[in-house]
Amino acid sequence: CRSRWSPVVPGDGGGMDSPAGAGLGGADPQLQRFIEVETQKQRFQQLVHQMTELCWEKCMDKPGPKLDSRAETCFINCVERFIDTSQFILNRLEQTQKSKSAFSESLSD
Amino acid sequence: MESGFGSDFGSDFGSGGAGGGKLDPGLIMEQVKVQIAVANAQELLQRMTDKCFRKCIGKPGGALDNSEQKCIAMCMDRYMDSWNTVSRAYNSRLQRERANM
């Protein structure tokens, strides 16, 4: 089963819900499957690029001869906290949307 | 260093065979994979260059001096280490999330 959460990429609807393959290679199921898989892989890659950039700012002082364990731990924590942040934002947004629509219903024009 | 990545891979998707006119999905998939790999390499290089320029170059002089070059070289390696660490950590997290569904 799939959770509501999916990796958030800026500019992307956030969805594994949208049928990315539809209309592209639609006639050929092999191509369609390929597109889905590659799209997934690319989402992953993009997020790695993005997190590496962000976490570099937070975790790297002066580049040394190797990545010391403190920096490595920082990177790992950074990735986890970034995902947590993304989930938090989605969850809270969902909550505020729910309460907003309940509110605006009672205020119908 | 840059021009090697710019070559036009995609212009002849279907014409790989001898004037057959039939599109081979296997060939298309391979070519697409290559293009994706190239695009990822370019992205990596671009961000690495940005980060290492910021870390290693102070006030830009008339040329890159020895310490700047050494710094850039180390920075490149550390950036790759970081990228790999992030990739592994993200992958672990994704697997954990899937296991928890």
Side-chain angles (χ1 to χ4, degrees):
Chain A
C1 61
R2 300 209 155 165
S3 79
R4 294 161 313 160
W5 174 74
S6 51
V8 176
V9 177
D12 179 72
M16 295 187 359
D17 308 25
S18 54
L24 298 171
D28 184 344
Q30 189 192 15
L31 267 182
Q32 184 151 352
R33 178 75 193 134
F34 170 77
I35 287 170
E36 283 171 18
V37 167
E38 289 303 315
T39 303
Q40 257 284 66
K41 281 195 209 164
Q42 263 314 96
R43 281 208 186 102
F44 178 87
Q45 291 284 64
Q46 275 307 113
L47 219 58
V48 174
H49 283 310
Q50 186 190 355
M51 286 192 284
T52 303
E53 197 168 14
L54 284 170
C55 298
W56 177 272
E57 291 305 320
K58 296 202 178 288
C59 296
M60 190 60 88
D61 308 307
K62 199 122 183 87
K66 70 183 207 77
L67 200 66
D68 68 49
S69 58
R70 204 150 42 111
E72 184 166 9
T73 304
C74 181
F75 275 102
I76 293 172
N77 287 339
C78 181
V79 168
E80 297 282 344
R81 299 298 77 74
F82 182 86
I83 308 290
D84 290 343
T85 303
S86 173
Q87 284 179 321
F88 184 92
I89 287 173
L90 286 174
N91 289 335
R92 187 164 181 278
L93 193 67
E94 192 176 346
Q95 286 168 25
T96 54
Q97 294 286 55
K98 274 191 196 143
S99 57
K100 238 188 222 172
S101 57
F103 185 63
S104 60
E105 268 163 19
S106 66
L107 280 184
S108 44
D109 293 327
Chain B
M1 182 150 166
E2 30 177 6
S3 54
F5 286 118
S7 52
D8 180 21
F9 267 101
S11 52
D12 51 339
F13 266 128
S15 57
K22 256 208 180 130
L23 294 180
D24 174 12
L27 187 65
I28 292 175
M29 294 195 289
E30 283 316 301
Q31 287 180 325
V32 167
K33 278 190 194 168
V34 168
Q35 284 185 307
I36 288 174
V38 165
N40 271 321
Q42 277 179 311
E43 179 114 38
L44 184 65
L45 237 49
Q46 192 182 325
R47 295 181 193 233
M48 180 194 281
T49 304
D50 183 276
K51 293 305 177 194
C52 294
F53 183 84
R54 286 175 200 268
K55 286 279 184 210
C56 294
I57 313 299
K59 200 140 177 85
L64 291 179
D65 64 42
N66 268 330
S67 64
E68 285 170 331
Q69 289 185 34
K70 268 201 199 123
C71 178
I72 294 170
M74 274 202 296
C75 177
M76 288 173 67
D77 292 345
R78 297 298 75 70
Y79 194 83
M80 284 312 308
D81 292 341
S82 307
W83 199 95
N84 287 329
T85 301
V86 168
S87 181
R88 263 181 278 127
Y90 183 38
N91 199 36
S92 301
R93 175 60 179 258
L94 284 179
Q95 289 184 340
R96 229 178 305 138
E97 294 284 331
R98 264 180 229 135
N100 285 339
M101 286 192 223

